[in-house]
Amino acid sequence: MSLSGLIPADLTLFATMALAIVAFIAATARGFSGFGAALIFMPLASSFAAPRLVAPLLLVIDFVAMAPTVPNAWRNADRKATAVIVAGALVGVPLGTYFLTRLDPVTVRWIITGFVIALLALLISGWRYRGREYTALSVAVGAVSGFCSGVAQTGGPPIVGYWLGRPVPSKMARANIVLFFGASDCFAMVSYAASSLITWDSLKLSLLIGPVYAVGVACGASLFGRASERVFRIICYALIAIAVIFGLPALDGVLGRG
């Protein structure tokens, strides 16, 4: 199949190139810092293509890129505690998917913008939950993260803010996070497929954008240890903020997207 055959009929070559560039930048941030891919990718990507296309696209390429990390996470995670949070995602992901399929694209883009602004503020604040561990709270955190993932693939910050504040070894906390998203992505795959969001167009496009994303993750990972993590995180935050600004639906006319 030629490269042109991988591009959906309603997507221009320019938009496809833009998606590839944004995917590379987002993946580089993900590979280095472990977060930020969706917060960078979704606001910008949804300004070039419908959220119903780019959300499943990101789900597929990120799932494939991060799948090799799940077995190690399974060995190091607190599986019982993670299962409680996963139970919340089992409710949140389908609910977020429902809103993604029912709302018009511009409304979804505004929701994505609002989510990303709130989650960026959470990341910058450095907030961590350090209170007692309650089952109901764990389920609620999983549900919120699952909802964000279902509607916009932006479920990372609530889980990161919760688990990194728990009194557990950092290796276990990171394993819990990876394992949670492995399960959450599986729910999203089923939910998206059942809602007809995963289409041949999104799968074909993932064959084109996926390798670019994988290279970005590898580049970001190779930078880890060579650059200051503090400086790189600041760069990630700046990229997320820029993505939010340039992805605003209100700027479509100004930027020639409308």
Side-chain angles (χ1 to χ4, degrees), residues 191-229:
S191 186
Y192 276 26
S195 301
S196 300
L197 287 171
I198 296 181
T199 63
W200 282 116
D201 279 346
S202 62
L203 291 175
K204 288 190 297 182
L205 188 59
S206 71
L207 295 177
L208 184 61
I209 305 297
V212 177
Y213 189 87
V215 170
V217 170
C219 287
S222 69
L223 292 173
F224 189 78
R226 300 183 183 181
S228 165
E229 184 172 356

Side-chain angles (χ1 to χ4, degrees), residues 101-112:
T101 58
R102 292 295 185 270
L103 299 177
D104 69 89
V106 174
T107 300
V108 173
R109 287 175 59 197
W110 277 115
I111 291 174
I112 291 172

Side-chain angles (χ1 to χ4, degrees), residues 11-12 14-16 18-19 22 43-50 54 109 257:
L11 199 64
T12 66
F14 172 79
T16 304
L19 290 179
V22 173
L44 285 175
S46 59
S47 68
F48 293 106
V54 296
R109 287 175 59 197
R257 297 186 302 232

